[in-house]
Amino acid sequence: MTSTTTPKKRFKKRISSLLAGSVVKKVMANVADKKVREISNYFPHFFTPKVAETEAQRNSTFSIRHDVFSEELGLEQRRETLLESDQFDRYSIHCFLQHRPTGKLAGTVRVVRPKNENQPLPMQHYLDDGFHDEEISPDDFRQDKIAEISRLAVPREFRRKHVKSEYKRRFRSRRSLSNEIQCYPYIAIGLYFTAMSVLLRNNINHAFIMVEPRLAKSLKFIGFPLEQVGPETDYFGRRAPFYIRVKATPFKLGKGFNSLFESIDQTLNHQQIAQQIKKRLR
């Protein structure tokens, strides 16, 4: 039996579908934003963003990375020191979220910040012709004006999939979830916001990141200013390089996510002031 649908009807149906999709996305964004506004109020009660200032703190971040990348995922070789580190850590700023009730590290991320031409970003070192000719690349800027966000790692006990299984085991319904457990799916976002705050405080306007396109799509959905500047490649899985317009971050985020960012940014600001005062008193 042949279809009687005319090209005009098919066109109207397609337009209707596109409009419906747009409406659904808008509703989803509003719901997510309202939820994050609630999360941002009590996130600081359970997680504190920090910048590693001591060797012990840096080693703690390396330990988390070893647990995730070496022990669990097998992406890096297992090391006798149980610390996962590389040549880029020497000129990186190491950030982490500390779980306040236990003192444990709930995740870590680093900002690779070159100081001279002899200090490449990881993607400059590993990617051969990994950028589109017509797009922005790290080579377009002075080496001391760029940075790369990398090595984000969240321990299994704080990870989204693990938390979902905990939902089923520990709670009868989503309404009975504690405020703390509801924060867990936002730990990775909190780490990215911590890195962005560090970039802004160090006046670094041009940042790059290697992420899965699916993750990039999710980050864009919440207003993270990402721009793909190269093709997908095999880089610890299928990933692509993205450029981040750092100064656009607070302005493009939805109200809920902006509240979470401001909370993290203010905490880091207080810590920075306290650190400066401590140095003056020495």
Side-chain angles (χ1 to χ4, degrees):
M1 182 181 292
T2 57
S3 174
T4 57
T5 306
T6 65
K8 186 175 181 179
K9 287 183 178 179
R10 287 197 296 270
F11 176 75
K12 286 184 176 180
K13 185 177 181 180
R14 177 170 173 75
I15 291 297
S16 176
S17 176
L18 289 172
L19 289 173
S22 177
V23 170
V24 168
K25 285 183 178 180
K26 188 172 183 179
V27 170
M28 286 175 62
N30 289 336
V31 170
D33 195 65
K34 182 179 179 180
K35 181 66 177 176
V36 178
R37 268 181 278 179
E38 297 175 7
I39 296 292
S40 66
N41 289 329
Y42 42 78
F43 193 92
H45 296 291
F46 303 106
F47 300 101
T48 302
K50 291 187 176 183
V51 172
E53 300 288 350
T54 66
E55 184 178 0
Q57 288 179 330
R58 285 188 286 273
N59 283 341
S60 293
T61 68
F62 299 157
S63 177
I64 292 296
R65 283 163 43 177
H66 190 273
D67 289 345
V68 174
F69 298 132
S70 302
E71 300 283 2
E72 183 182 347
L73 301 178
L75 296 175
E76 293 286 355
Q77 290 184 344
R78 191 178 186 281
R79 309 183 186 188
E80 291 184 5
T81 60
L82 302 182
L83 304 176
E84 193 281 310
S85 183
D86 60 26
Q87 67 268 36
F88 308 107
D89 288 319
R90 292 184 294 103
Y91 47 95
S92 294
I93 300 171
H94 301 279
C95 312
F96 60 93
L97 287 179
Q98 188 167 35
H99 185 229
R100 296 186 67 179
T102 63
K104 293 181 179 180
L105 266 65
T108 181
V109 69
R110 73 179 178 188
V111 175
V112 183
R113 187 193 178 193
K115 300 293 180 63
N116 57 59
E117 297 299 323
N118 296 321
Q119 296 178 334
L121 299 180
M123 64 173 60
Q124 287 177 304
H125 179 77
Y126 290 115
L127 296 184
D128 295 325
D129 301 322
F131 302 93
H132 295 312
D133 291 338
E134 68 277 10
E135 299 288 354
I136 294 171
S137 82
D139 296 333
D140 294 335
F141 308 100
R142 276 176 41 185
Q143 205 67 11
D144 60 347
K145 298 296 182 182
I146 60 176
E148 180 176 341
I149 299 174
S150 69
R151 282 299 196 265
L152 184 142
V154 178
R156 187 175 183 273
E157 64 183 297
F158 292 104
R159 199 142 352 115
R160 187 185 186 91
K161 289 183 179 179
H162 179 69
V163 172
K164 282 185 176 179
S165 67
E166 288 294 296
Y167 288 170
K168 296 178 181 178
R169 187 175 69 84
R170 295 171 54 191
F171 303 98
R172 293 182 179 179
S173 70
R174 292 186 65 86
R175 290 184 180 179
S176 63
L177 296 179
S178 69
N179 290 343
E180 178 184 338
I181 294 295
Q182 290 185 72
C183 290
Y184 281 28
Y186 296 87
I187 289 174
I189 296 295
L191 288 167
Y192 280 130
F193 284 172
T194 300
M196 295 303 293
S197 176
V198 166
L199 289 169
L200 286 167
R201 293 184 183 289
N202 285 273
N203 296 314
I204 300 173
N205 300 326
H206 310 289
F208 296 84
I209 188 172
M210 289 288 295
V211 294
E212 299 174 6
R214 185 174 59 177
L215 173 57
K217 186 176 181 181
S218 297
L219 291 172
K220 286 181 181 180
F221 180 76
I222 69 172
F224 215 74
L226 289 178
E227 178 183 336
Q228 187 168 343
V229 293
E232 286 186 47
T233 186
D234 188 8
Y235 186 86
F236 296 106
R238 299 302 297 177
R239 298 175 182 240
F242 288 82
Y243 171 66
I244 304 173
R245 298 185 183 278
V246 178
K247 286 188 175 180
T249 303
F251 307 105
K252 286 186 174 291
L253 296 172
K255 290 183 179 179
F257 285 101
N258 191 57
S259 295
L260 181 57
F261 174 80
E262 287 182 349
S263 171
I264 288 171
D265 188 54
Q266 289 173 7
T267 300
L268 290 173
N269 181 50
H270 295 326
Q271 292 174 5
Q272 186 179 47
I273 292 173
Q275 194 69 22
Q276 290 172 347
I277 293 174
K278 186 184 293 185
K279 287 181 179 179
R280 290 172 187 170
L281 295 176
R282 287 176 182 173

